[in-house]
Amino acid sequence: MRAVQYDHVGGPEVLKLVEVPIPEPTGDQVRVAVRAAGVNPADWKMRAGLMPGPAAFPRRAGFEIAGVVDAAGPEARFRPGDEVLGWAQGGGYAEYALSGPLVAKPAGLSFPDAVAVPVAANTAGGGLDELELEPGETLLVNGASGAVGSLAVQLARALGATVVGTASAANQEVVRGLGALPTTYGPGVVERVRALAPRGIDAVFDCAGHGFLDAAIELRGGTDRIITIADGAAADKDITFFSRPGGAGLDVVARVAQLVATGEFRLAGPARGYPLAEAAAAQRESETGHGLGKIVLIPS
């Protein structure tokens, strides 16, 4: 089978499409014929040596998949023919992958849309749990039009919270359509947020970084109930840098997948697909941080 791997850390050019043996599932594993693989910031950060990855080389790239089970271990929950989405073990940028945590893919949800759900829903749902958001409270989401931010907005609204969401000027109507009160980034954001939420902000979920934590602290009057998934300076400011292990929130992943399939929730935008052979180009686009919609690799 074809898979993408790299022999050392470096730029996107270190990613190579290679032929490797098709893996065999054991125990409770399944093998998934990958129909779409998600491209996430963690992928290129590990490739570039900016965050830790597996100790051994070569490393297989990617971990987020959607596809069809084509072989199953004797203790597996899923069986051949089941359509699934979730996490891969040992690399997701491949024609076949062994399973990590998975949920069933709802009927009517395309594979490129399905692969936009696991990481974003897991992170958004976990972030709201970390913030202990309650109905009737007001949440500020920085980066509300992005993959995680857009789901955080919708989950918070479903909980009964009011949401203020920051985004670029071009994405104000996107944020409004998600159910949030939109405003722009940049100078004056504290005053703009206060005008939208005169009773104050109860919690802040920073999904975009860009130096937003000082504004968040000013709006909260302290550092409690602020989390970031994007600002490496969090510890210096006594702010929680939030991360959640893959598959820790399978319930919310399954719920969001179903809500997207029925049209009750929206994804950040349409998927932007690349063939497996263009994994380097896909990661380059991911590194820019621009554009709405999931970047995905299509193996076939």
Side-chain angles (χ1 to χ4, degrees), residues 42-72:
D43 299 346
W44 57 261
K45 288 178 182 178
M46 280 190 278
R47 183 217 72 222
L50 300 176
M51 64 182 292
F57 288 97
R59 291 179 185 169
R60 299 272 178 85
F63 56 86
E64 187 180 33
I65 58 171
V68 182
V69 174
D70 86 322

Side-chain angles (χ1 to χ4, degrees), residues 64 87 116-127 147-148 151-152 155 244 249 252-257:
E64 187 180 33
W87 285 260
V117 172
V119 170
N122 188 57
T123 305
V148 175
L151 290 183
L155 287 167
R244 194 183 206 189
V252 73
V253 171
R255 177 186 169 211
V256 168

Side-chain angles (χ1 to χ4, degrees), residues 15-299:
L15 297 173
K16 305 298 181 186
L17 186 64
V18 297
E19 288 286 340
V20 296
I22 296 175
E24 294 296 332
T26 60
D28 62 356
Q29 288 181 320
V30 298
R31 184 175 67 211
V32 178
V34 179
R35 298 290 185 261
V39 177
N40 291 287
D43 299 346
W44 57 261
K45 288 178 182 178
M46 280 190 278
R47 183 217 72 222
L50 300 176
M51 64 182 292
F57 288 97
R59 291 179 185 169
R60 299 272 178 85
F63 56 86
E64 187 180 33
I65 58 171
V68 182
V69 174
D70 86 322
E75 301 164 23
R77 168 190 169 199
F78 293 105
R79 308 311 302 169
D82 289 344
E83 296 184 346
V84 294
L85 58 106
W87 285 260
Q89 291 183 3
Y93 293 11
E95 292 178 309
Y96 296 91
L98 292 179
S99 64
L102 299 174
V103 301
K105 183 183 80 65
L109 186 63
S110 72
F111 288 110
D113 283 347
V115 85
V117 172
V119 170
N122 188 57
T123 305
L128 297 185
D129 289 345
E130 178 76 12
L131 290 168
E132 299 182 333
L133 190 68
E134 297 288 343
E137 291 191 316
T138 299
L139 171 71
L140 172 59
V141 177
N142 182 45
S145 63
V148 175
S150 62
L151 290 183
V153 168
Q154 292 170 94
L155 287 167
R157 292 289 294 134
L159 181 67
T162 297
V163 183
V164 177
T166 68
S168 67
N171 290 326
Q172 294 295 288
E173 290 308 310
V174 172
V175 173
R176 193 186 311 278
L178 297 172
L181 302 170
T183 191
T184 52
Y185 304 118
V189 68
V190 170
E191 291 73 21
R192 291 193 296 276
V193 170
R194 284 176 173 159
L196 291 170
R199 292 189 296 176
I201 295 295
D202 297 298
V204 179
F205 195 161
D206 173 28
C207 301
H210 305 302
F212 187 75
L213 293 182
D214 288 339
I217 292 167
E218 185 173 350
L219 286 161
R220 284 287 301 130
T223 60
D224 69 306
R225 299 188 77 190
I226 302 172
I227 63 171
T228 181
I229 61 170
D231 195 327
D236 295 336
K237 299 179 183 293
D238 196 28
I239 299 294
T240 297
F241 189 97
F242 178 76
S243 63
R244 194 183 206 189
L250 286 182
D251 287 349
V252 73
V253 171
R255 177 186 169 211
V256 168
Q258 187 61 47
L259 289 167
V260 172
T262 60
E264 295 171 76
F265 271 23
R266 303 181 190 179
L267 296 174
R272 293 172 281 166
Y274 288 81
L276 198 59
E278 295 181 17
Q283 286 199 0
R284 285 190 186 96
E285 183 176 358
S286 178
E287 287 187 59
T288 70
H290 299 315
L292 299 177
K294 185 76 173 183
I295 301 171
V296 303
L297 295 174
I298 307 298

